[in-house]
Amino acid sequence: MNRIIILIFLSFCTSVFSQNKVADLKIQGNKKLKSSFVKKISNIKSGVALDSSVIEEDIRLLKLLPSIAHAYYQVFPTDVSNEFNVFYNIEENFTIIPSVNVYTTNNDEFAYRLGLYEFNLLGQNMIFGGFYQKDVYSSYAVNFRAPYLFSRSLGLAINYQDLTTQEPVFFDGTTADYRYNNESFEILGLYQLNFSNRFELGVNYFTEDYQYKFGATNPNVPQELVVKKMLYKLVYEYNNLNYDYQYIEGFRSLFNFQYVHSRDDARLPGFLIGWNDFQYFKRFGLKGNWASRLRLGIATNNDTPFAPFSVDNNVNLRGVGNTIDRGTAAIVLNTEYRYTLCDKNWFALQGNAFVDAGSWRNPGGDFGDFGHSENIRVYPGLGLRFIHKKIFNAIFRIDYGIGITPDATQGLVFGIGQYF
């Protein structure tokens, strides 16, 4: 008898609470961000059942958007029984952000990249912008990314790049410098399964142009090479990071797999390449933050001087220089301790001590190359972060790395955003 009464009571409660409906979703506080966009990506809509867990899921999504600094909700009854208006209150970020990267070494190399990006184009949380780069030669790129173009889960990215640099090519224990140009057009489909898992799938059509400038020569190494290629790309990201202004805690894994098809397999063969970045962040006390990134990468082991993995200032080892070596596999560890030296309402100054270390497999070599002393590089160093807490990704960084392995260099690396 008691069991029957409990079932009747639960049935009654379910019936009563299921009658609570959303009359309307209203957006407040937004200026540039369109209300229609917020409603498009929200699961709460007019006529659905009022459910606080669904509302909180929407708010969490909104807080992850670069255009939003903070979001919260309110619920008010209407004149109609069991109907409620839901209000999403938005505090926006400033989203037109410049980007700057400058790097030097003790060989007096100097290069820079200047960019400008809008992270809330047309109030739809679309990213549009580009950069100009001077690295001996001039380069530029234009990027468009709309992760919610079609729905809450489905979007599109389009990228164009015309990149020209002076690249070293390594063979027979010698080095030659080439003028390298890569002109590419890329289109990607973006799919977000949930908050923690997302995928990218697409193609990139590009042309690589190598022109010999100076240095060593070899009859088997061409002095002029122009090859058209097609790249097929798959990206998978698992992201469980939690942000509190400049502090980060949690784990992130980013996997990138590519198949590159070449139209000149004899001189520049096609290959497979994949790498995974594992990132781990841990808070220590009120001001400390330990951050680490482990990159494991491997490619088809072609015996070619044009190997895909590079040793470079802006990619893996701070202070090492501008593309000083290449390989067909890589193991790189970046670890640093960040400590907030000054923390105000809108500004924070953060110092960091880091160690960047890595090793590479030589083109055509074997995995024993990772243990060879000439392939191992270790760069400890110190840095500063100037952080504007009210502007999205407004972190100006400066790092100085000093190599402690044989034939090492040292140098400054500047940039916008954390190194990783």
Side-chain angles (χ1 to χ4, degrees):
M1 184 66 179
N2 290 336
R3 184 178 179 184
I4 295 175
I5 293 174
I6 292 173
L7 290 173
I8 293 174
F9 175 75
L10 292 175
S11 178
F12 171 76
C13 290
T14 302
S15 176
V16 170
F17 287 111
S18 66
Q19 292 176 6
N20 293 335
K21 301 290 184 182
V22 176
D24 194 14
L25 172 61
K26 300 180 182 296
I27 314 301
Q28 295 185 146
N30 56 311
K31 298 176 182 177
K32 186 175 181 179
L33 186 67
K34 299 296 185 182
S35 297
S36 58
F37 169 78
V38 178
K39 291 183 177 182
K40 181 177 77 171
I41 67 170
S42 298
N43 282 330
I44 285 296
K45 303 182 186 299
S46 177
V48 305
L50 183 64
D51 188 332
S52 62
S53 64
V54 176
I55 295 175
E56 289 168 1
E57 188 177 277
D58 281 348
I59 294 298
R60 183 184 172 194
L61 174 62
L62 294 176
K63 287 181 178 180
L64 292 174
L65 301 181
S67 57
I68 295 178
H70 185 62
Y72 62 97
Y73 70 91
Q74 296 170 300
V75 178
F76 297 103
T78 67
D79 295 334
V80 180
S81 178
N82 296 324
E83 289 194 1
F84 295 82
N85 286 323
V86 179
F87 290 80
Y88 285 177
N89 298 282
I90 306 296
E91 297 177 15
E92 293 186 357
N93 268 326
F94 183 76
T95 56
I96 300 178
I97 310 298
S99 63
V100 180
N101 281 280
V102 180
Y103 41 99
T104 63
T105 72
N106 60 350
N107 295 324
D108 294 326
E109 295 177 354
F110 177 79
Y112 64 88
R113 176 182 289 188
L114 304 175
L116 185 66
Y117 285 86
E118 163 63 272
F119 287 85
N120 189 21
L121 181 68
L122 304 177
Q124 300 289 324
N125 209 73
M126 298 185 292
I127 302 170
F128 178 75
F131 66 79
Y132 169 79
Q133 176 175 295
K134 185 67 173 181
D135 188 348
V136 181
Y137 305 101
S138 295
S139 306
Y140 67 94
V142 179
N143 309 108
F144 172 77
R145 187 179 184 89
Y148 307 101
L149 182 63
F150 305 112
S151 70
R152 179 187 175 100
S153 302
L154 194 60
L156 183 72
I158 300 174
N159 304 299
Y160 174 77
Q161 173 181 274
D162 191 338
L163 181 66
T164 306
T165 57
Q166 183 170 296
E167 295 285 335
V169 173
F170 308 94
F171 55 92
D172 299 334
T174 61
T175 304
D177 282 272
Y178 282 70
R179 179 187 182 275
Y180 171 73
N181 175 259
N182 183 316
E183 184 178 12
S184 66
F185 179 80
E186 179 180 74
I187 184 166
L188 298 168
L190 312 177
Y191 178 70
Q192 185 166 311
L193 180 63
N194 50 41
F195 289 118
S196 299
N197 298 275
R198 71 173 184 88
F199 298 86
E200 298 182 8
L201 183 65
V203 296
N204 183 314
Y205 179 77
F206 64 103
T207 301
E208 286 189 311
D209 184 347
Y210 287 89
Q211 301 293 330
Y212 172 81
K213 299 297 295 182
F214 54 86
T217 60
N218 185 308
N220 297 320
V221 179
Q223 296 187 23
E224 180 178 296
L225 183 61
V226 180
V227 180
K228 297 184 183 298
K229 295 183 176 182
M230 183 72 79
L231 181 154
Y232 303 92
K233 176 188 289 188
L234 170 66
V235 177
Y236 166 65
E237 179 186 29
Y238 172 79
N239 190 329
N240 194 32
L241 299 179
N242 293 311
Y243 292 84
D244 183 12
Y245 292 104
Q246 70 267 28
Y247 303 109
I248 310 174
E249 191 159 31
F251 174 77
R252 176 177 181 250
S253 173
L254 183 62
F255 172 72
N256 196 313
F257 176 78
Q258 300 174 4
Y259 167 62
V260 180
H261 172 69
S262 172
R263 294 189 179 181
D264 189 348
D265 279 333
R267 295 191 298 172
L268 206 59
F271 59 93
L272 298 170
I273 182 172
W275 68 92
N276 205 118
D277 286 348
F278 301 95
Q279 297 180 347
Y280 178 74
F281 300 85
K282 176 69 176 177
R283 291 284 301 270
F284 284 92
L286 296 176
K287 297 183 178 181
N289 205 167
W290 176 44
S292 292
R293 176 182 67 176
L294 174 64
R295 170 169 290 187
L296 305 176
I298 189 168
T300 303
N301 195 22
N302 294 323
D303 187 5
T304 170
F306 308 103
F309 290 107
S310 64
V311 187
D312 188 275
N313 251 331
N314 288 310
V315 178
N316 37 48
L317 303 181
R318 283 163 282 190
V320 74
N322 184 15
T323 311
I324 67 160
D325 205 353
R326 295 181 182 274
T328 56
I331 301 175
V332 180
L333 175 65
N334 309 101
T335 187
E336 64 184 32
Y337 183 74
R338 305 168 183 172
Y339 187 82
T340 301
L341 303 171
C342 175
D343 198 349
K344 302 297 183 182
N345 182 50
W346 64 274
F347 171 79
L349 176 64
Q350 196 176 62
N352 73 304
F354 66 85
V355 177
D356 294 344
S359 185
W360 283 258
R361 179 179 68 180
N362 298 324
D366 56 41
F367 290 113
D369 292 345
F370 286 121
H372 294 168
S373 59
E374 64 270 20
N375 291 337
I376 298 173
R377 295 176 174 85
V378 181
Y379 278 75
L382 299 173
L384 288 172
R385 305 290 184 268
F386 302 87
I387 303 168
H388 195 302
K389 297 164 68 175
K390 302 296 184 180
I391 301 177
F392 174 69
N393 201 38
I395 302 173
F396 176 75
R397 60 177 163 84
I398 176 172
D399 292 308
Y400 190 81
I402 302 175
I404 60 174
T405 45
D407 301 319
T409 60
Q410 55 188 315
L412 285 169
V413 182
F414 300 88
I416 297 294
Q418 295 284 9
Y419 193 68
F420 60 91

